[in-house]
Amino acid sequence: YQGARAAANRANAALRAANPAWYAGKQIHEIHPVKFGGSPTDPANKVALTPPEHEQYTRFWNRLMRALQ
């Protein structure tokens, strides 16, 4: 997981560098999270969200993760 997370962070930094205006004030979220086997680097698996939107998605995935344990 740590290696995949590092790859995702590098990919996210590259996306931000390529289009800083688009990502300004937004968080990049993996649609299919790395924790659940999603690609850490595929741009099609990423979406730019406002902080409140990102919080909602993160809360959903965290609840699902806890329910599956």
Side-chain angles (χ1 to χ4, degrees), residues 8-28:
N9 291 343
R10 286 190 301 273
N12 293 351
L15 288 171
R16 287 183 183 284
N19 195 346
W22 174 255
Y23 293 102
K26 295 181 182 172
Q27 298 177 2
I28 299 174

Side-chain angles (χ1 to χ4, degrees), residues 15-53:
L15 288 171
R16 287 183 183 284
N19 195 346
W22 174 255
Y23 293 102
K26 295 181 182 172
Q27 298 177 2
I28 299 174
H29 181 81
E30 283 81 33
I31 298 165
H32 183 176
V34 173
K35 290 178 186 175
F36 291 97
S39 171
T41 58
D42 183 359
N45 190 38
K46 296 181 182 287
V47 63
L49 301 171
T50 64
E53 292 169 330

